Amino acid sequence: MKVRDSGMPPHNYWETLFDVPAILDAFGFGPQTGAVAELGCGYGTFTLPLARRVGGAVHAFDIERDMVAFTEQRVAAAGVDNVRVEIRDVLANGFGPGAGAFDSVLLFNILHAESPAGLLRAAAAAARPDGFVAVIHWRSDLPTPRGPPLEIRPRPEQVCDWAREVGLTPGEVIALPPWHYGLKLLVSRQSD
């Protein structure tokens, strides 16, 4: 599933739009974190810093062959060995390893998709019981240098509604200045 309005600007510009360490800190990623899935890895902006922080593997997925190739090249050049990069349509094929395989699933700047609840449902199924889905998105209350049109940007309250629809428990909105917000959506199902 290709996400509407998902064109990427040049790599060097894209990377200036995020305070990656602050975002990863806000979600509590560290050595205690096991396997993580990242949907829409793009240039690997979060993939490599995340892989250097967590104790488990980072499974990075994208629907775009060029993005997967770019991220694979960055991972190889960095000599990082706990990253798996794959072309995958998670709505059609799931996240791969099976239900509950990940401590966390990242949905960064992707919930403007046509099926946001579907993405959240797939992410919730992929996360372990007591894991979480990490969401960031472009704010819609101020002008931003990038991002989808305002009319398709999800507001935090919309994301919370979709999350509840699929059985996730939303936490507090996380301020991620200057242009993003975040939400930690808890998975609270019982293990099978």
Side-chain angles (χ1 to χ4, degrees), residues 17 20 28 40 45 55 59 65 71 78 82 90 94 117-119 121 128 142 165-166 178:
L17 301 175
V20 174
T45 302
H59 296 257
R65 184 172 307 281
T71 300
N82 65 331
V90 301
L119 289 175
R121 185 175 291 107
R128 68 171 169 75
L142 53 78
E165 233 178 80
V166 302

Side-chain angles (χ1 to χ4, degrees), residues 65-76:
R65 184 172 307 281
D66 291 346
M67 295 289 102
V68 167
F70 192 93
T71 300
E72 284 175 329
Q73 290 170 358
R74 285 186 82 179
V75 167

Side-chain angles (χ1 to χ4, degrees), residues 6-76:
S6 59
M8 293 288 283
H11 164 249
N12 291 334
Y13 174 62
W14 180 251
E15 304 240 327
T16 68
L17 301 175
F18 306 94
D19 184 343
V20 174
I23 291 169
L24 297 179
D25 287 347
F27 287 104
F29 290 111
Q32 78 288 352
T33 308
V36 177
E38 177 189 19
L39 180 59
C41 65
Y43 294 119
T45 302
F46 291 93
T47 311
L48 286 171
L50 185 62
R52 290 181 174 125
R53 281 179 176 236
V54 301
V58 175
H59 296 257
F61 305 110
D62 207 294
I63 195 94
E64 296 288 340
R65 184 172 307 281
D66 291 346
M67 295 289 102
V68 167
F70 192 93
T71 300
E72 284 175 329
Q73 290 170 358
R74 285 186 82 179
V75 167

Side-chain angles (χ1 to χ4, degrees), residues 20-180:
V20 174
I23 291 169
L24 297 179
D25 287 347
F27 287 104
F29 290 111
Q32 78 288 352
T33 308
V36 177
E38 177 189 19
L39 180 59
C41 65
Y43 294 119
T45 302
F46 291 93
T47 311
L48 286 171
L50 185 62
R52 290 181 174 125
R53 281 179 176 236
V54 301
V58 175
H59 296 257
F61 305 110
D62 207 294
I63 195 94
E64 296 288 340
R65 184 172 307 281
D66 291 346
M67 295 289 102
V68 167
F70 192 93
T71 300
E72 284 175 329
Q73 290 170 358
R74 285 186 82 179
V75 167
V80 176
D81 64 359
N82 65 331
V83 175
R84 316 293 178 270
V85 187
E86 181 181 339
I87 296 172
R88 180 176 282 273
D89 181 339
V90 301
L91 284 181
N93 303 308
F95 277 86
F102 302 105
D103 280 8
S104 179
V105 178
L106 277 61
L107 299 179
F108 285 5
N109 294 316
I110 200 164
L111 287 181
H112 58 281
E114 290 84 348
S115 300
L119 289 175
L120 286 166
R121 185 175 291 107
R128 68 171 169 75
D130 301 319
F132 66 95
V133 176
V135 171
I136 72 167
H137 215 290
W138 296 96
R139 291 173 54 182
S140 58
D141 61 333
L142 53 78
T144 61
R146 282 288 303 167
L150 291 177
E151 61 271 9
I152 65 170
R153 289 185 194 190
R155 294 179 319 284
E157 33 312 329
Q158 287 175 302
V159 176
C160 290
D161 288 345
W162 296 328
R164 287 185 199 97
E165 233 178 80
V166 302
L168 292 165
T169 304
E172 295 296 315
V173 176
I174 304 165
L176 300 172
W179 298 300
H180 292 85

